[in-house]
Each structure stands twice: as structure tokens, then as C-alpha cells.
Amino acid sequence: MPNVSGKVVLITGAARGIGAQTARELARRGARLALVGLEPDALAAVAAELGEGHFWAEADVTDADSIKAAVDAAAEQLGSIDVVIANAGIAPIGTVRTSDPRAFTKTIDVNINGVFHTARAALPHLVERRGYLLVVSSLSAFTPIGGMAAYTASKSGAEALACALRTEVMHLGVAVGSAHPSWIDTDMVRDVAQDLSAFEAMRKRLPWPMRATTSVQDCAKAFADGVERRARRVYVPRAIALVHWLRTVPSSRLVEFLMRPTVRRLIPRTEREVAALGRSLSERNQQIQG
């Protein structure tokens, strides 16, 4: 797939953030987009912005029937599906000791089960087109950080799912990759920074490139480039590849020793701030997820 011109790309979590901007970038390169998510008004607005020849559908990736109906409708209206970007995801706030169990469970459901349901619904179409699936994991899959246990576990699981799936479908001509963005300037990252000053302070203490923030435009370009080359891995920024190959270092005794003073000070502060908020998801995600 030397380029995406004329190809049909389905993106989950496409109403805003990385999903919406990646749709814009791929449309600029000539792709036709199928936008899927939980915010119909926002999806319709993005589709209208892209112009004629695109598709959107409201669907819940945690509901197998819902996402299958959206995928099949997109394939019927646009004629095929060549690429799927499993991008839908949420990030709760708080520690295992104090967070709402429902938020942890919901995160696993969206970030892992949602990828499974999306992939399973899309595979018949991808097999037909010898297409490509990009699973959006995270830098967090390589770097477990206190206060992000649910997100880290879910994104590690999404990466493992992508790797296993790659071996299952390669003989069918389908390529599977995983994307590992660091901190991207999106609503989700800004929501956490606004809710938890302690977490933002901890993030700024992380070593380079783990603390780097990338614009959503640059992230979308990296995703689109990854789609065009059917990449096994997409790192945003590219220096995150170093963290991948040195993935045992962030959880090593040395890093634990170096971070101990920061953790001792900021984890209790994080727990107090989450308790004061009275919720474990951002206010926006709380409303969207119900």
C-alpha cells in the first residue's frame, strides 16, 4: 500500500483528538474515511469538514454487535475497508488503592475488549482487501507509572493483542501494527493535567523522551505515515523507540530508587486530589461513557 489515495480507512474514537486529526490527515492524502465513536454530533461535524465521500456512525466498541453494525455499514456504503485504526480509548485517574473499581473495569473494557471487538468485526473486510490494522497502544505499555495502573495494564494488553493477532493473520495477507504515542496535546491529556496538578508535576519529572509532548498534528502525520508503510510499530515521537528497546529500564531498581522521593511526595497528593474530585474519569469521559 504505497499510499492511501482511494483507500477506505475506518477509525474508532474519531470524534476528537488523535482520531479526528488522523482522519483529516488521511483525507488530505486522498483516503475515504469511516468515522466511528460515541459522540454523534462531533462525528458528523468532522465528516462534514472532510467533505463528500466519507461516512460516520455512532457505535460503542465495548459492544460487539454495535461495532460490527458500524463496520459493516461503513463497508457497504464505501464499498470496502482497507485499513482500520483501533484508536478508541480512555484514561482513568487515581491509584489502585483509592480509585473507583468501575473506572478500572471500564478502562480495560474500552482499551482491550474494544480493540478485540473492533478487530474481530473488521477482519472479514481486511482479509478480503489484504488490509492493515493499526492498534493504538501507548508509551505507557513500556513505562508503568504510579497513578496510571489501569491505563498501563490496558495499553500493555492492547500491544500484546496486536502482536498475537499479527501472527494469526499474516498468512491471510493482513498486516497488524501497534502505535505508541507519548503525551499528545489532546483533550484527554489536558483533562488529566487540569484535574490533577500532582500528576502533571510527576510527568514533568520523567526523563526524556518520556516527558515529551507532541502536537496532535504531528501525531496524526506519524499515524498516516505508519498506515502507508503498513508499519509494525509507530512511535510518537520517534525517540520513543529507545524506550521500547530499553523497556525494562523504567521498572528497574535504579529508576525506582531515583523516582522514590518524587513518588513519596506526589502519589499521596494525587490520591487526595482524586478524592476531592469525587470521580476517577475526566468529567468529559464520565459523561460520554455514562
Side-chain angles (χ1 to χ4, degrees):
M1 192 182 296
N3 59 64
V4 294
S5 181
K7 305 296 183 181
V8 175
V9 182
L10 184 144
I11 304 176
T12 64
R16 61 180 69 244
I18 293 172
Q21 191 60 38
T22 301
R24 296 183 184 101
E25 178 64 24
L26 288 167
R28 187 184 68 79
R29 300 185 188 199
R32 293 181 293 154
L33 277 301
L35 312 175
V36 177
L38 288 174
E39 301 174 86
D41 291 343
L43 290 167
V46 175
E49 178 188 339
L50 299 182
E52 296 295 325
H54 304 286
F55 169 89
W56 70 269
E58 181 179 4
D60 182 351
V61 296
T62 68
D63 183 326
D65 293 335
S66 176
I67 187 63
K68 184 179 186 306
V71 169
D72 290 347
E76 181 178 356
Q77 181 161 325
L78 299 179
S80 64
I81 296 177
D82 299 284
V83 176
V84 171
I85 303 178
N87 168 71
I90 60 173
I93 51 180
T95 63
V96 170
R97 189 166 69 100
T98 60
S99 62
D100 184 346
R102 292 170 297 182
F104 190 101
T105 302
K106 187 67 176 180
T107 302
I108 299 298
D109 201 14
V110 174
N111 295 2
I112 297 183
N113 296 340
V115 171
F116 167 76
H117 293 313
T118 300
R120 196 167 189 276
L123 276 173
H125 307 285
L126 295 179
V127 169
E128 180 182 349
R129 301 291 293 180
R130 300 178 71 84
Y132 175 66
L133 169 67
L134 181 63
V135 174
V136 179
S137 177
S138 171
L139 162 66
S140 189
F142 315 142
T143 56
I145 299 172
M148 294 186 65
Y151 188 74
T152 293
S154 66
K155 290 303 185 178
S156 297
E159 180 205 12
L161 193 159
C163 290
L165 181 58
R166 181 185 302 119
T167 65
E168 294 179 358
V169 298
M170 63 172 62
H171 69 287
L172 299 172
V174 177
V176 179
S178 58
H180 301 274
S182 179
W183 307 97
I184 309 301
D185 187 21
T186 62
D187 290 339
M188 185 167 72
V189 171
R190 288 192 294 268
D191 285 347
V192 175
Q194 180 178 332
D195 282 338
L196 301 178
S197 63
F199 188 82
E200 182 67 3
M202 185 182 299
R203 182 169 76 89
K204 291 178 179 178
R205 295 295 300 273
L206 295 173
W208 179 91
M210 293 164 56
R211 65 171 177 265
T213 299
T214 303
S215 73
V216 70
Q217 291 82 6
D218 286 346
C219 181
K221 289 176 183 176
F223 276 26
D225 290 344
V227 167
E228 289 192 330
R229 68 177 189 273
R230 295 164 67 93
R232 287 172 61 92
R233 303 270 183 178
V234 178
Y235 302 107
V236 186
R238 289 184 180 179
I240 296 303
L242 297 174
V243 184
H244 173 219
W245 294 113
L246 299 173
R247 63 193 302 168
T248 59
V249 173
S251 56
S252 67
R253 288 183 180 272
L254 174 61
V255 172
E256 183 178 293
F257 174 77
L258 294 174
M259 288 294 293
R260 188 173 297 165
T262 299
V263 168
R264 282 179 172 171
R265 178 169 53 88
L266 293 180
I267 289 294
R269 179 174 150 193
T270 298
E271 292 177 339
R272 291 193 297 270
E273 290 182 354
V274 173
L277 286 171
R279 50 182 165 79
S280 293
L281 292 172
S282 71
E283 189 173 14
R284 181 180 57 83
N285 265 323
Q286 194 110 325
Q287 294 173 349
I288 294 171
Q289 298 297 329

